[in-house]
Amino acid sequence: MAFTLQLGAEAPSFSLPATNGQTYSQDDFSDAPALVVFFTCNHCPFVLGSNGVTRATALKFAEHGVRFVAINANSEVTHPDDSFAHMVEVMEKERFPWVYLHDKSQDIARAYGALRTPHFYVFDADRKLIYTGRGVDQPREIGKMTVNDLDQALTEHLAGKPVSTPLTNPIGCNVKWDGQDAHWMPEEACDLV
């Protein structure tokens, strides 16, 4: 069985605490015509390098009702900067246009098959997976970016077209799994394409 959620699969359910003190489930976004769930963290240079583009993409598609949900599943034992307290600090400073959820147990990251930070999943109105992979092709060096795959997928979907490139490899740091070396990945977690 593949580690990462397969195209056409239903969005795994979640109920996770957010940096704003609330708990969110996928039902809180039921009115969105598309839902973007992405695994991220506080420290990864690929996340830090591309947060601005992700913000711009989220704001652009918010006008169309698309919602973004960020999830940090990194072990704070492996990387202390990824603690919930630091998540709160990041959101207070950055005020990103998404909710920032904490997956301390890493159960949701396993359910989605999150490989790296960042790793994006786009679901349609029926919450079927229509895109997964990277946000952009150069997340660490945005000045070298040539394609915004996330923007393209959302643009095509909202125009009623099939997503032309529904699967890409996420580019970033691997998820920091609790009890494992910082660079460890599950054996079955290979590239997507």
Side-chain angles (χ1 to χ4, degrees):
M1 187 173 114
F3 179 75
T4 299
L5 199 65
Q6 299 295 288
L7 291 168
E10 191 169 333
S13 60
F14 59 84
S15 180
L16 296 170
T19 55
N20 63 9
Q22 299 180 42
T23 296
Y24 290 86
S25 76
Q26 67 277 21
D27 293 340
D28 292 306
F29 311 98
S30 59
D31 59 340
L35 178 66
V36 179
V37 176
F38 66 106
F39 289 83
T40 186
C41 65
N42 301 327
H43 81 278
C44 170
F46 296 90
V47 168
L48 298 177
S50 60
N51 269 340
V53 174
T54 305
R55 179 197 298 270
T57 304
L59 290 172
K60 173 181 175 180
F61 289 99
E63 298 173 8
H64 303 280
V66 176
R67 301 291 300 275
F68 277 58
V69 175
I71 300 176
N72 177 12
N74 275 3
S75 168
E76 64 186 74
V77 175
T78 308
H79 211 294
D81 285 349
D82 286 327
S83 70
F84 186 73
H86 281 105
M87 290 172 60
V88 172
E89 290 173 11
V90 166
M91 282 301 277
E92 286 176 351
K93 178 184 175 193
E94 299 292 344
R95 306 226 176 263
F96 288 121
W98 50 71
V99 294
Y100 194 11
L101 310 182
H102 191 212
D103 179 20
K104 185 176 178 66
S105 71
Q106 303 186 312
D107 288 344
I108 305 307
R110 278 189 285 273
Y112 278 76
L115 296 174
R116 301 190 178 278
T117 55
H119 188 166
F120 293 86
Y121 299 80
V122 179
F123 298 94
D124 65 12
D126 296 323
R127 296 305 177 253
K128 302 294 187 192
L129 185 65
I130 58 170
Y131 173 81
T132 185
R134 67 191 187 189
V136 299
D137 64 339
Q138 294 286 340
R140 192 169 183 166
E141 298 179 85
I142 288 301
K144 296 180 179 179
M145 181 181 79
T146 62
V147 63
N148 184 332
D149 295 279
L150 180 60
D151 183 294
Q152 180 178 308
L154 289 167
T155 297
E156 290 172 343
H157 176 64
L158 293 177
K161 301 175 182 175
V163 176
S164 56
T165 307
L167 194 62
T168 60
N169 285 323
I171 302 171
C173 302
N174 60 293
V175 171
K176 307 305 182 208
W177 298 100
D178 204 27
Q180 300 291 344
D181 176 84
H183 301 290
W184 181 85
M185 289 183 81
E187 188 175 323
E188 64 276 25
C190 58
D191 285 347
L192 303 182
V193 293

